[in-house]
Amino acid sequence: MKSLLIISFLICCGFSMAQSPTDTPVSQMEYLDRGLIAFPTTAGKCFISWRFLGTDDNSTSFEVLKNGVSYQKDIINATSMTVNGSKDDNFQVVTFHNGQPVDTTAVVTPWDNCFLKLHLDRPEKMNGADYNPNDCSVGDVDGDGQYEIFVKWDPENAKDNAQSGMTSPVIIDCYKLDGTRLWRVNLGDNIRAGAHYTQFMVYDFNGDGKAEMICKTAPGSKDGNDNFVNAVATDATILSTSNNVDLRNSDGRILRGAEYLTVFNGETGAAVHTIWYNPNRAGKFNQANEHPAKSFWNDDYGNRADRHLACVAYLDGPDCNPSAVMIRGYYTRAYLWAVDFDGTHLIHKWLHASTTKNSVELYDAEWNKTTKTYNSNTSGVGNYYTMFGNGNHNLSVGDVDGDGCDEIIWGSGAVDNDGNLLYSVGFGHGDAIHLADLNPDRPGYELFDVHEESVGEYGADLHDAATGEILVRKTSTRDTGRGLAADFDSDYRGAEFTFATQSASYKINGVKIYDANPGMNFRIYWDGDEYEELFNDVTVSKWNKGSTSTLGMGFGRNAVSAYGNPASCNGTKATPNLTADIFGDWREEIILWNKTDGATLNIYSSAYATDYRVPTLMHDHIYRMGVAWQNVAYNQPPHLGYYLPDFISSFQGIDPSGIQEHIVDTDTSDAYYNLMGVKVSHPQKGVYIHNGRKILIR
């Protein structure tokens, strides 16, 4: 059988500057090196992978060196490849701009295994409880262009807010990728262990090129130098507060005493500044207090008061430093507190308080209060008109209204960059949200949200992330605890979605496509095509017309679970320690902990072949903010801020002007096309070099 293949020859070497795949400005792109990695796959073979940066352009090409000798030149397609090699070989990558070499990576040798083992210093048992690695984050603490790994250790006696019982202290470590522990923070007895208490934000908050960590602390919390965190306070009351007090009651709950916010130096773990945590459990500011009467939170044992979230957001635009936003409450009262860090001090910026279903109090930088009343929401359902009762167990961040500043998108509502209410959808509290360009054929971002309350008859909705306009609504008869939106089906344009309490999957416009539910945990880029895979517990799966199949590591048939005895986190949530584009090409890494010893992180990277050169996902703003908030409460996966298949089909920004098209009659039954002497496997698309000319197959 014959078919026609269109080949285009780029007859000149002058390329226009490639557009970033999103509107992410360079000022929001961290300095990153090439992230070159190598690991063994099958006998005599290694997979090597490196970054294409958001600051690169279409003139960027690469050369791979093996043992100091050129192995392959003029690489302008995918930034990963399988090579002949063993553990005794070493590799480098040279970057060229307009044909001129501009940087060469350090020498790397292959990992010992097909995944990276990061050996940790497991804390000793405390109060009879062992520690296991829990949520992680990444940040470059020393400015060398490589991420460090932040590990929150959870004791086995950690509790949900609804549960009584004593817990052992929460511990946070920071590690280099070679396993060197830089420091350890012990949050002490007065910070309870569990998914809702400690949300640690890792990011460069003061713009010095090095990441800090910000989290909630308390009397007795110690920094990475074993000093109490209140020692760096500038408030006299905090300075004089005793660190020898145990604030726990007989149920293990902490319903009284001081609550702090501390920023830690990312490189040393030293506490830099400690201030009051706002609001306190009684809804007051800059002071300690006891838990109020039941009427305030609708419980008197700290369940609602100690539901904490956090995020990083560029509230003043991309040319200013980002803020930390600390959040308290979502079942009833909802507080969002924006804080800046100037390198020396934490500085209050604004505080949003949705104190009732229709009333918002906004406190400015001087703590001046403005009160606004609201009498409608965008769904027309129920009477939740503010963030009161509308928050999720998770959140997202992005510039959804196009003003250059980030908004906080939080379940059935959103807060603008200045702390004002942006809108309320009004469906009440939910469990999972997904913010992305889910429908690429309509402007802006969309938010998919599932509902645990009957206000909107449970189920799920899709709404405009900027306006709250309801685009799709699916109802259910019971609490809908989980849901997923991602582009996991290549037969349909845009994302697809599914949710608990039913067994179907849908196109993004709400039309059912299959009577099958693919799963509702994480999404991930893994197998090298432009569509997303499904990730649940320790298994990566591919969706194919109503069913799923387990994917391997990209070589042979073994799945991720076959290597390193991996385990997920957070009980039935079965989430990874982290997924993020930590190094290598644009595919994401998976971090799981080794349940054999409880002292090792396994970092898995895909070895599937890919045809595509995509900028590191960490240089996409929506995605990078998602990695920062991923560890929060009921973890959710990060999403790209652009639609990847559209970027892929644009051929990486190559300008079609000056291209001559030729139609070739080709036998599609052959395994390969032979194009002007270039042997290219079918049906791959991309750009190839032959005799100094670039051949574009499309």
Side-chain angles (χ1 to χ4, degrees), residues 220 236 325 339 409 434 439 478 532:
V325 182
V339 181
I409 314 302
H434 299 271
N439 185 345
R478 56 192 174 93
E532 293 167 285

Side-chain angles (χ1 to χ4, degrees), residues 458-526:
Y458 301 112
D461 84 276
L462 181 80
H463 59 261
D464 186 293
T467 67
E469 175 191 358
I470 307 300
L471 305 173
V472 177
R473 182 180 173 196
K474 298 290 181 182
T475 60
S476 178
T477 57
R478 56 192 174 93
D479 180 334
T480 306
R482 308 193 80 169
L484 174 69
D487 191 16
F488 52 78
D489 195 318
S490 60
D491 288 343
Y492 302 98
R493 180 164 167 77
E496 296 76 39
F497 68 83
T498 189
F499 56 94
T501 70
Q502 56 87 61
S503 59
S505 54
Y506 302 86
K507 291 194 294 184
I508 200 61
N509 63 2
V511 174
K512 184 165 70 173
I513 52 178
Y514 291 105
D515 286 314
N517 188 322
M520 298 163 293
N521 204 343
F522 269 47
R523 40 76 39 221
I524 191 168
Y525 290 115
W526 188 254

Side-chain angles (χ1 to χ4, degrees), residues 513-544:
I513 52 178
Y514 291 105
D515 286 314
N517 188 322
M520 298 163 293
N521 204 343
F522 269 47
R523 40 76 39 221
I524 191 168
Y525 290 115
W526 188 254
D527 70 354
D529 66 21
E530 61 264 53
Y531 301 100
E532 293 167 285
E533 282 67 60
L534 305 161
F535 181 51
N536 180 56
D537 193 16
V538 297
T539 301
V540 181
S541 300
K542 188 74 172 178
W543 173 261
N544 182 26

Side-chain angles (χ1 to χ4, degrees), residues 238-350:
I238 297 176
L239 280 168
S240 62
T241 298
S242 171
N243 286 294
N244 297 317
V245 60
D246 188 338
L247 299 169
R248 297 173 293 181
N249 65 16
S250 59
D251 291 329
R253 299 180 183 280
I254 303 159
L255 304 180
R256 62 188 178 93
E259 300 174 277
Y260 308 143
L261 185 72
T262 300
V263 56
F264 298 87
N265 181 292
E267 193 167 11
T268 67
V272 179
H273 192 216
T274 295
I275 61 177
W276 294 105
Y277 188 91
N278 287 308
N280 63 30
R281 57 182 63 87
K284 304 296 183 182
F285 311 127
N286 303 312
Q287 59 184 280
N289 216 321
E290 295 187 4
H291 195 284
K294 181 177 180 179
S295 59
F296 193 84
W297 288 102
N298 202 30
D299 71 50
D300 58 4
Y301 61 99
N303 182 19
R304 289 166 174 80
D306 276 333
R307 299 279 177 162
H308 297 276
L309 303 173
C311 62
V312 178
Y314 282 79
L315 300 174
D316 296 323
D319 296 326
C320 298
N321 291 331
S323 304
V325 182
M326 313 306 293
I327 296 175
R328 183 169 216 154
Y330 41 74
Y331 287 122
T332 55
R333 290 170 172 264
Y335 298 89
L336 296 89
W337 178 40
V339 181
D340 291 338
F341 175 57
D342 66 3
T344 305
H345 297 94
L346 291 168
I347 303 165
H348 160 77
K349 189 179 190 70
W350 51 253

